Amino acid sequence: MRIAVPSKGRLREPAIQLLHDAGLGPETPGDRALAFPCRHAPVEALLVRADDVPEYVQDGVVDCGITGLDIVRERDADVQELLLLGFGGCSLEAAVQAESPVQSLEELRGARVATSFPRLATEFLPAPIELVDVHGSVELAPRLGLADAIVDLVSSGSTLRTNGLRSIARLLESEAVLIGPPEPQADATQLAGVFRSVVDGRNARYLMLNAPEDSIDAIRALVPGSRAPSVLPLAEPGMVAVHSLVPAADIWRLLPELEAAGASSILLVPVERMLG
Ligand code: AMP
């Protein structure tokens, strides 16, 4: 089967890393490679521009592809979003010059809007707007007097600030996504399942700790998100080991609370895959 992977830009390396973590054994592509095989699976990866991935998938040139959700929605291609991949996070935002009186999207009616996302800008902004179609350095357009506002991708917001712009609305949350044709073949669906197990695993940690038997209820209350934890007897009387799956994002909060509840010998282990 064939999968389209971004040939450059910020999605390229994490996309190839996902093939690696999924156990496909991708051959390391050279800078100029157009395609590369995988050692452990009958999968060939085609390196194409992230912008072109929806087209390749729609035309059936590849069985599935990885690109940005923003690109998929802007292209409005006849494809199916199979799985959000958890990297390449950013948002499509409308912004104006910091000193502009404009506070809401509604006030952009009739405005000149610079963007390389004309379809999404038209969908989310109040009609009518005058589109100024620019590619690259969109943030300069207001300062040059070319536009009253911009619609562009933002991650940290520092590019906006550096260019004297202020966000007034978040139009779309984006991240990398696996797409397939409207009716994907069985192997594309199967690959989506393998990727899902990796993405879910990255969001989880396996927690192991020891605790006095009488603190079990307090500890269970702290890890309510997980399924029933395993509670195992220890050789030391009155002590048990607790094993549980916890969300990676909660760890910073959870560890001191567990210690306060009586947990000791706390171990946190990465999860390679999560299924079922
Ligand atoms: P690139 O090829 O590096 O321009 O990446 C394009 C894609 O990366 C975009 O379509 C987004 O899906 C994603 N991305 C993530 N963060 C950002 C960001 N701060 N600015 C632009 N694109 C981003």
Side-chain angles (χ1 to χ4, degrees), residues 8-11 68 70-71 88-90 153-155 174:
K8 58 188 174 69
R10 57 190 97 210
L11 301 182
D70 53 292
I71 293 171
C90 58
L153 293 175
V154 176
S155 41
S174 180

PDB file of all heavy atoms in Angstrom, residues 8-11 68 70-71 88-90 153-155 174, ligand 1:
ATOM      1  N   LYS A   8       8.385  18.153   3.138  1.00  0.00           N
ATOM      2  CA  LYS A   8       9.187  19.143   3.872  1.00  0.00           C
ATOM      3  C   LYS A   8       8.300  19.827   4.889  1.00  0.00           C
ATOM      4  O   LYS A   8       7.134  19.492   5.010  1.00  0.00           O
ATOM      5  CB  LYS A   8       9.808  20.158   2.907  1.00  0.00           C
ATOM      6  CG  LYS A   8       8.802  20.917   2.050  1.00  0.00           C
ATOM      7  CD  LYS A   8       9.546  21.731   1.003  1.00  0.00           C
ATOM      8  CE  LYS A   8       8.638  22.417   0.017  1.00  0.00           C
ATOM      9  NZ  LYS A   8       7.849  23.502   0.544  1.00  0.00           N
ATOM     10  N   GLY A   9       8.899  20.766   5.588  1.00  0.00           N
ATOM     11  CA  GLY A   9       8.109  21.534   6.551  1.00  0.00           C
ATOM     12  C   GLY A   9       7.987  20.831   7.891  1.00  0.00           C
ATOM     13  O   GLY A   9       8.569  19.775   8.123  1.00  0.00           O
ATOM     14  N   ARG A  10       7.154  21.421   8.760  1.00  0.00           N
ATOM     15  CA  ARG A  10       7.142  20.966  10.150  1.00  0.00           C
ATOM     16  C   ARG A  10       6.421  19.639  10.365  1.00  0.00           C
ATOM     17  O   ARG A  10       6.512  19.062  11.433  1.00  0.00           O
ATOM     18  CB  ARG A  10       6.593  22.039  11.069  1.00  0.00           C
ATOM     19  CG  ARG A  10       5.235  22.528  10.741  1.00  0.00           C
ATOM     20  CD  ARG A  10       4.918  23.744  11.581  1.00  0.00           C
ATOM     21  NE  ARG A  10       5.173  24.971  10.836  1.00  0.00           N
ATOM     22  CZ  ARG A  10       5.543  26.106  11.388  1.00  0.00           C
ATOM     23  NH1 ARG A  10       5.757  26.173  12.668  1.00  0.00           N
ATOM     24  NH2 ARG A  10       5.719  27.157  10.636  1.00  0.00           N
ATOM     25  N   LEU A  11       5.709  19.140   9.365  1.00  0.00           N
ATOM     26  CA  LEU A  11       5.021  17.850   9.558  1.00  0.00           C
ATOM     27  C   LEU A  11       5.869  16.665   9.092  1.00  0.00           C
ATOM     28  O   LEU A  11       5.554  15.517   9.400  1.00  0.00           O
ATOM     29  CB  LEU A  11       3.669  17.841   8.823  1.00  0.00           C
ATOM     30  CG  LEU A  11       2.660  18.913   9.233  1.00  0.00           C
ATOM     31  CD1 LEU A  11       1.356  18.754   8.458  1.00  0.00           C
ATOM     32  CD2 LEU A  11       2.395  18.866  10.729  1.00  0.00           C
ATOM     33  N   GLY A  68      -1.945  18.391   7.267  1.00  0.00           N
ATOM     34  CA  GLY A  68      -2.585  19.204   8.299  1.00  0.00           C
ATOM     35  C   GLY A  68      -4.096  19.244   8.102  1.00  0.00           C
ATOM     36  O   GLY A  68      -4.586  19.316   6.970  1.00  0.00           O
ATOM     37  N   ASP A  70      -5.985  21.688   8.696  1.00  0.00           N
ATOM     38  CA  ASP A  70      -6.294  22.978   8.054  1.00  0.00           C
ATOM     39  C   ASP A  70      -6.263  22.841   6.535  1.00  0.00           C
ATOM     40  O   ASP A  70      -7.123  23.370   5.828  1.00  0.00           O
ATOM     41  CB  ASP A  70      -5.310  24.050   8.538  1.00  0.00           C
ATOM     42  CG  ASP A  70      -3.855  23.645   8.375  1.00  0.00           C
ATOM     43  OD1 ASP A  70      -3.402  22.709   9.073  1.00  0.00           O
ATOM     44  OD2 ASP A  70      -3.166  24.219   7.546  1.00  0.00           O
ATOM     45  N   ILE A  71      -5.274  22.089   6.041  1.00  0.00           N
ATOM     46  CA  ILE A  71      -5.126  21.921   4.586  1.00  0.00           C
ATOM     47  C   ILE A  71      -6.293  21.096   4.034  1.00  0.00           C
ATOM     48  O   ILE A  71      -6.868  21.417   2.997  1.00  0.00           O
ATOM     49  CB  ILE A  71      -3.763  21.246   4.276  1.00  0.00           C
ATOM     50  CG1 ILE A  71      -2.621  22.201   4.643  1.00  0.00           C
ATOM     51  CG2 ILE A  71      -3.685  20.815   2.821  1.00  0.00           C
ATOM     52  CD1 ILE A  71      -1.240  21.572   4.578  1.00  0.00           C
ATOM     53  N   GLY A  88       1.836  18.608  15.248  1.00  0.00           N
ATOM     54  CA  GLY A  88       1.558  19.688  14.280  1.00  0.00           C
ATOM     55  C   GLY A  88       0.386  20.556  14.717  1.00  0.00           C
ATOM     56  O   GLY A  88      -0.322  21.105  13.883  1.00  0.00           O
ATOM     57  N   GLY A  89       0.202  20.679  16.020  1.00  0.00           N
ATOM     58  CA  GLY A  89      -0.930  21.465  16.531  1.00  0.00           C
ATOM     59  C   GLY A  89      -0.773  22.953  16.247  1.00  0.00           C
ATOM     60  O   GLY A  89       0.317  23.512  16.397  1.00  0.00           O
ATOM     61  N   CYS A  90      -1.835  23.582  15.816  1.00  0.00           N
ATOM     62  CA  CYS A  90      -1.850  25.024  15.578  1.00  0.00           C
ATOM     63  C   CYS A  90      -3.313  25.422  15.418  1.00  0.00           C
ATOM     64  O   CYS A  90      -4.191  24.562  15.459  1.00  0.00           O
ATOM     65  CB  CYS A  90      -1.056  25.405  14.326  1.00  0.00           C
ATOM     66  SG  CYS A  90      -1.624  24.624  12.816  1.00  0.00           S
ATOM     67  N   LEU A 153      -2.343  30.734  10.228  1.00  0.00           N
ATOM     68  CA  LEU A 153      -2.070  29.732  11.265  1.00  0.00           C
ATOM     69  C   LEU A 153      -1.209  30.328  12.369  1.00  0.00           C
ATOM     70  O   LEU A 153      -0.271  31.071  12.099  1.00  0.00           O
ATOM     71  CB  LEU A 153      -1.336  28.532  10.658  1.00  0.00           C
ATOM     72  CG  LEU A 153      -2.143  27.699   9.680  1.00  0.00           C
ATOM     73  CD1 LEU A 153      -1.257  26.618   9.070  1.00  0.00           C
ATOM     74  CD2 LEU A 153      -3.349  27.077  10.371  1.00  0.00           C
ATOM     75  N   VAL A 154      -1.532  29.967  13.593  1.00  0.00           N
ATOM     76  CA  VAL A 154      -0.808  30.466  14.756  1.00  0.00           C
ATOM     77  C   VAL A 154      -0.508  29.268  15.642  1.00  0.00           C
ATOM     78  O   VAL A 154      -1.366  28.404  15.825  1.00  0.00           O
ATOM     79  CB  VAL A 154      -1.716  31.449  15.547  1.00  0.00           C
ATOM     80  CG1 VAL A 154      -1.016  31.919  16.817  1.00  0.00           C
ATOM     81  CG2 VAL A 154      -2.120  32.647  14.679  1.00  0.00           C
ATOM     82  N   SER A 155       0.732  29.175  16.170  1.00  0.00           N
ATOM     83  CA  SER A 155       0.921  28.173  17.231  1.00  0.00           C
ATOM     84  C   SER A 155       1.230  28.867  18.545  1.00  0.00           C
ATOM     85  O   SER A 155       0.418  28.850  19.462  1.00  0.00           O
ATOM     86  CB  SER A 155       1.924  27.081  16.866  1.00  0.00           C
ATOM     87  OG  SER A 155       3.029  27.582  16.203  1.00  0.00           O
ATOM     88  N   SER A 174      -6.230  22.967  14.547  1.00  0.00           N
ATOM     89  CA  SER A 174      -5.686  22.023  13.570  1.00  0.00           C
ATOM     90  C   SER A 174      -4.578  21.176  14.182  1.00  0.00           C
ATOM     91  O   SER A 174      -3.954  21.564  15.156  1.00  0.00           O
ATOM     92  CB  SER A 174      -5.129  22.788  12.362  1.00  0.00           C
ATOM     93  OG  SER A 174      -4.607  21.891  11.415  1.00  0.00           O
TER      94      SER A 174
HETATM   95  P1  AMP B   1       4.928  23.808   6.694  1.00  0.00           P
HETATM   96  O1  AMP B   1       5.097  22.867   5.535  1.00  0.00           O
HETATM   97  O2  AMP B   1       6.039  23.783   7.678  1.00  0.00           O
HETATM   98  O3  AMP B   1       4.536  25.203   6.267  1.00  0.00           O
HETATM   99  O4  AMP B   1       3.713  23.210   7.548  1.00  0.00           O
HETATM  100  C1  AMP B   1       2.436  23.358   7.107  1.00  0.00           C
HETATM  101  C2  AMP B   1       1.501  22.736   8.083  1.00  0.00           C
HETATM  102  O5  AMP B   1       2.072  22.595   9.389  1.00  0.00           O
HETATM  103  C3  AMP B   1       0.298  23.612   8.283  1.00  0.00           C
HETATM  104  O6  AMP B   1      -0.652  23.443   7.268  1.00  0.00           O
HETATM  105  C4  AMP B   1      -0.188  23.149   9.641  1.00  0.00           C
HETATM  106  O7  AMP B   1      -1.007  22.012   9.506  1.00  0.00           O
HETATM  107  C5  AMP B   1       1.074  22.765  10.382  1.00  0.00           C
HETATM  108  N1  AMP B   1       1.504  23.786  11.365  1.00  0.00           N
HETATM  109  C6  AMP B   1       1.658  23.583  12.682  1.00  0.00           C
HETATM  110  N2  AMP B   1       2.013  24.703  13.321  1.00  0.00           N
HETATM  111  C7  AMP B   1       2.058  25.669  12.403  1.00  0.00           C
HETATM  112  C8  AMP B   1       2.374  27.068  12.441  1.00  0.00           C
HETATM  113  N3  AMP B   1       2.661  27.713  13.571  1.00  0.00           N
HETATM  114  N4  AMP B   1       2.365  27.763  11.289  1.00  0.00           N
HETATM  115  C9  AMP B   1       2.110  27.114  10.141  1.00  0.00           C
HETATM  116  N5  AMP B   1       1.790  25.824  10.037  1.00  0.00           N
HETATM  117  C10 AMP B   1       1.765  25.087  11.156  1.00  0.00           C
END
